[in-house]
Short mmCIF file of all heavy atoms in Angstrom, two decimals:
data_model
loop_
_atom_site.label_atom_id
_atom_site.label_comp_id
_atom_site.label_asym_id
_atom_site.label_seq_id
_atom_site.Cartn_x
_atom_site.Cartn_y
_atom_site.Cartn_z
N ASN A 1 -21.29 6.28 -14.91
CA ASN A 1 -20.48 5.78 -16.03
C ASN A 1 -19.40 4.84 -15.48
O ASN A 1 -19.15 3.80 -16.03
CB ASN A 1 -19.90 6.86 -16.85
CG ASN A 1 -20.99 7.57 -17.74
OD1 ASN A 1 -22.00 7.00 -17.99
ND2 ASN A 1 -20.66 8.76 -18.13
N ALA A 2 -18.71 5.28 -14.43
CA ALA A 2 -17.62 4.50 -13.85
C ALA A 2 -18.14 3.18 -13.34
O ALA A 2 -17.53 2.12 -13.53
CB ALA A 2 -16.84 5.30 -12.81
N PHE A 3 -19.27 3.26 -12.66
CA PHE A 3 -19.86 2.06 -12.14
C PHE A 3 -20.26 1.03 -13.26
O PHE A 3 -20.01 -0.11 -13.18
CB PHE A 3 -21.16 2.36 -11.25
CG PHE A 3 -21.86 1.18 -10.75
CD1 PHE A 3 -21.39 0.48 -9.67
CD2 PHE A 3 -23.01 0.79 -11.36
CE1 PHE A 3 -22.04 -0.61 -9.19
CE2 PHE A 3 -23.71 -0.35 -10.92
CZ PHE A 3 -23.20 -1.06 -9.83
N ASN A 4 -20.89 1.58 -14.32
CA ASN A 4 -21.28 0.66 -15.43
C ASN A 4 -20.08 0.03 -16.06
O ASN A 4 -20.11 -1.14 -16.49
CB ASN A 4 -22.09 1.50 -16.48
CG ASN A 4 -23.47 1.89 -15.94
OD1 ASN A 4 -24.05 1.17 -15.09
ND2 ASN A 4 -23.95 3.02 -16.39
N GLU A 5 -18.99 0.80 -16.25
CA GLU A 5 -17.77 0.19 -16.79
C GLU A 5 -17.22 -0.91 -15.88
O GLU A 5 -16.76 -1.93 -16.41
CB GLU A 5 -16.68 1.27 -16.99
CG GLU A 5 -16.99 2.31 -18.05
CD GLU A 5 -17.09 1.64 -19.44
OE1 GLU A 5 -16.23 0.78 -19.74
OE2 GLU A 5 -18.02 1.99 -20.19
N ILE A 6 -17.24 -0.69 -14.59
CA ILE A 6 -16.74 -1.73 -13.64
C ILE A 6 -17.67 -3.00 -13.75
O ILE A 6 -17.21 -4.10 -13.74
CB ILE A 6 -16.71 -1.19 -12.19
CG1 ILE A 6 -15.58 -0.13 -12.10
CG2 ILE A 6 -16.50 -2.29 -11.18
CD1 ILE A 6 -15.64 0.63 -10.81
N MET A 7 -18.96 -2.77 -13.85
CA MET A 7 -19.93 -3.90 -13.89
C MET A 7 -19.64 -4.72 -15.18
O MET A 7 -19.63 -5.94 -15.14
CB MET A 7 -21.40 -3.37 -13.98
CG MET A 7 -21.94 -2.88 -12.68
SD MET A 7 -22.12 -4.25 -11.46
CE MET A 7 -23.35 -5.23 -12.21
N LYS A 8 -19.33 -4.00 -16.28
CA LYS A 8 -19.05 -4.73 -17.59
C LYS A 8 -17.76 -5.58 -17.41
O LYS A 8 -17.66 -6.63 -17.94
CB LYS A 8 -18.84 -3.73 -18.69
CG LYS A 8 -20.14 -3.13 -19.16
CD LYS A 8 -19.94 -2.12 -20.24
CE LYS A 8 -21.16 -1.27 -20.63
NZ LYS A 8 -20.85 -0.18 -21.51
N ALA A 9 -16.76 -5.01 -16.70
CA ALA A 9 -15.47 -5.67 -16.55
C ALA A 9 -15.56 -6.80 -15.57
O ALA A 9 -14.84 -7.84 -15.72
CB ALA A 9 -14.40 -4.59 -16.09
N VAL A 10 -16.36 -6.72 -14.61
CA VAL A 10 -16.39 -7.75 -13.53
C VAL A 10 -17.46 -8.78 -13.69
O VAL A 10 -17.26 -9.97 -13.32
CB VAL A 10 -16.54 -7.07 -12.13
CG1 VAL A 10 -16.33 -8.06 -11.02
CG2 VAL A 10 -15.58 -5.91 -11.98
N CYS A 11 -18.62 -8.48 -14.23
CA CYS A 11 -19.78 -9.40 -14.29
C CYS A 11 -19.99 -9.94 -15.69
O CYS A 11 -19.86 -9.18 -16.64
CB CYS A 11 -21.01 -8.67 -13.85
SG CYS A 11 -21.00 -8.18 -12.14
N ASN A 12 -20.30 -11.22 -15.73
CA ASN A 12 -20.62 -11.80 -17.06
C ASN A 12 -21.90 -11.21 -17.60
O ASN A 12 -22.01 -11.04 -18.81
CB ASN A 12 -20.79 -13.32 -16.89
CG ASN A 12 -19.44 -14.01 -16.56
OD1 ASN A 12 -18.42 -13.44 -16.78
ND2 ASN A 12 -19.52 -15.16 -15.99
N THR A 13 -22.85 -10.99 -16.77
CA THR A 13 -24.10 -10.38 -17.16
C THR A 13 -24.32 -9.07 -16.34
O THR A 13 -24.84 -9.20 -15.25
CB THR A 13 -25.29 -11.32 -16.98
OG1 THR A 13 -25.32 -11.78 -15.57
CG2 THR A 13 -25.27 -12.51 -17.89
N PRO A 14 -23.79 -7.98 -16.81
CA PRO A 14 -23.93 -6.69 -16.05
C PRO A 14 -25.40 -6.35 -15.73
O PRO A 14 -26.25 -6.64 -16.52
CB PRO A 14 -23.34 -5.67 -16.98
CG PRO A 14 -22.50 -6.38 -17.99
CD PRO A 14 -23.21 -7.72 -18.12
N ILE A 15 -25.56 -5.77 -14.54
CA ILE A 15 -26.86 -5.39 -14.05
C ILE A 15 -26.92 -3.87 -14.02
O ILE A 15 -25.94 -3.19 -13.60
CB ILE A 15 -27.15 -6.01 -12.67
CG1 ILE A 15 -27.13 -7.50 -12.70
CG2 ILE A 15 -28.44 -5.52 -12.12
CD1 ILE A 15 -27.11 -8.17 -11.37
N SER A 16 -28.02 -3.27 -14.48
CA SER A 16 -28.10 -1.85 -14.53
C SER A 16 -28.33 -1.28 -13.06
O SER A 16 -28.77 -1.96 -12.24
CB SER A 16 -29.23 -1.42 -15.45
OG SER A 16 -30.50 -1.68 -14.73
N ILE A 17 -28.00 0.01 -12.93
CA ILE A 17 -28.28 0.72 -11.72
C ILE A 17 -29.71 0.66 -11.32
O ILE A 17 -30.06 0.46 -10.20
CB ILE A 17 -27.70 2.13 -11.76
CG1 ILE A 17 -26.18 2.09 -11.85
CG2 ILE A 17 -28.15 2.92 -10.54
CD1 ILE A 17 -25.54 3.50 -12.00
N TYR A 18 -30.55 0.80 -12.30
CA TYR A 18 -32.02 0.74 -12.09
C TYR A 18 -32.38 -0.62 -11.51
O TYR A 18 -33.18 -0.64 -10.52
CB TYR A 18 -32.79 0.98 -13.46
CG TYR A 18 -34.29 0.72 -13.26
CD1 TYR A 18 -35.11 1.70 -12.66
CD2 TYR A 18 -34.86 -0.48 -13.64
CE1 TYR A 18 -36.44 1.50 -12.55
CE2 TYR A 18 -36.23 -0.70 -13.52
CZ TYR A 18 -37.00 0.25 -12.95
OH TYR A 18 -38.34 0.09 -12.79
N GLN A 19 -31.85 -1.70 -12.04
CA GLN A 19 -32.18 -3.04 -11.49
C GLN A 19 -31.65 -3.19 -10.07
O GLN A 19 -32.32 -3.78 -9.26
CB GLN A 19 -31.53 -4.12 -12.36
CG GLN A 19 -32.16 -4.24 -13.75
CD GLN A 19 -31.38 -5.17 -14.62
OE1 GLN A 19 -30.20 -4.99 -14.86
NE2 GLN A 19 -32.09 -6.20 -15.22
N ILE A 20 -30.50 -2.70 -9.79
CA ILE A 20 -29.93 -2.73 -8.44
C ILE A 20 -30.82 -1.97 -7.44
O ILE A 20 -31.10 -2.44 -6.39
CB ILE A 20 -28.45 -2.28 -8.39
CG1 ILE A 20 -27.63 -3.18 -9.21
CG2 ILE A 20 -27.95 -2.10 -6.97
CD1 ILE A 20 -26.22 -2.62 -9.49
N LYS A 21 -31.23 -0.74 -7.83
CA LYS A 21 -32.02 0.03 -6.92
C LYS A 21 -33.39 -0.63 -6.72
O LYS A 21 -33.91 -0.59 -5.59
CB LYS A 21 -32.26 1.44 -7.51
CG LYS A 21 -31.00 2.37 -7.45
CD LYS A 21 -31.27 3.71 -8.03
CE LYS A 21 -30.02 4.63 -7.88
NZ LYS A 21 -30.26 5.93 -8.46
N THR A 22 -33.96 -1.23 -7.72
CA THR A 22 -35.22 -1.93 -7.59
C THR A 22 -35.09 -3.08 -6.59
O THR A 22 -35.91 -3.30 -5.76
CB THR A 22 -35.71 -2.43 -8.95
OG1 THR A 22 -35.84 -1.33 -9.86
CG2 THR A 22 -37.04 -3.15 -8.87
N THR A 23 -33.98 -3.85 -6.73
CA THR A 23 -33.72 -4.95 -5.84
C THR A 23 -33.52 -4.42 -4.39
O THR A 23 -34.08 -5.04 -3.46
CB THR A 23 -32.50 -5.76 -6.27
OG1 THR A 23 -32.67 -6.20 -7.60
CG2 THR A 23 -32.21 -6.88 -5.34
N LEU A 24 -32.79 -3.35 -4.28
CA LEU A 24 -32.56 -2.78 -2.94
C LEU A 24 -33.80 -2.31 -2.26
O LEU A 24 -33.95 -2.54 -1.11
CB LEU A 24 -31.55 -1.62 -3.11
CG LEU A 24 -30.76 -1.20 -1.89
CD1 LEU A 24 -30.03 -2.28 -1.20
CD2 LEU A 24 -29.80 -0.10 -2.22
N LYS A 25 -34.70 -1.73 -3.06
CA LYS A 25 -35.96 -1.29 -2.50
C LYS A 25 -36.83 -2.42 -1.95
O LYS A 25 -37.54 -2.29 -0.98
CB LYS A 25 -36.80 -0.51 -3.54
CG LYS A 25 -36.34 0.91 -3.77
CD LYS A 25 -37.20 1.66 -4.77
CE LYS A 25 -36.66 3.03 -4.99
NZ LYS A 25 -37.43 3.75 -6.03
N LYS A 26 -36.68 -3.59 -2.64
CA LYS A 26 -37.44 -4.76 -2.15
C LYS A 26 -36.84 -5.29 -0.84
O LYS A 26 -37.52 -5.81 -0.01
CB LYS A 26 -37.37 -5.89 -3.20
CG LYS A 26 -38.28 -5.59 -4.39
CD LYS A 26 -38.11 -6.70 -5.45
CE LYS A 26 -38.84 -6.30 -6.70
NZ LYS A 26 -38.58 -7.29 -7.81
#
């Protein structure tokens, strides 16, 4: 929850944790 709130505050287009983990796996 804290991470998602930070993402909303900092990024114009917030990315989900799922998307980040998928990118990291690649």
Side-chain angles (χ1 to χ4, degrees):
N1 288 338
F3 177 77
N4 290 331
E5 290 297 319
I6 292 168
M7 284 296 291
K8 287 178 193 171
V10 190
C11 297
N12 293 339
T13 54
I15 300 171
S16 72
I17 292 175
Y18 173 79
Q19 290 171 305
I20 294 169
K21 286 181 179 180
T22 302
T23 302
L24 198 54
K25 282 182 183 180
K26 289 177 186 173

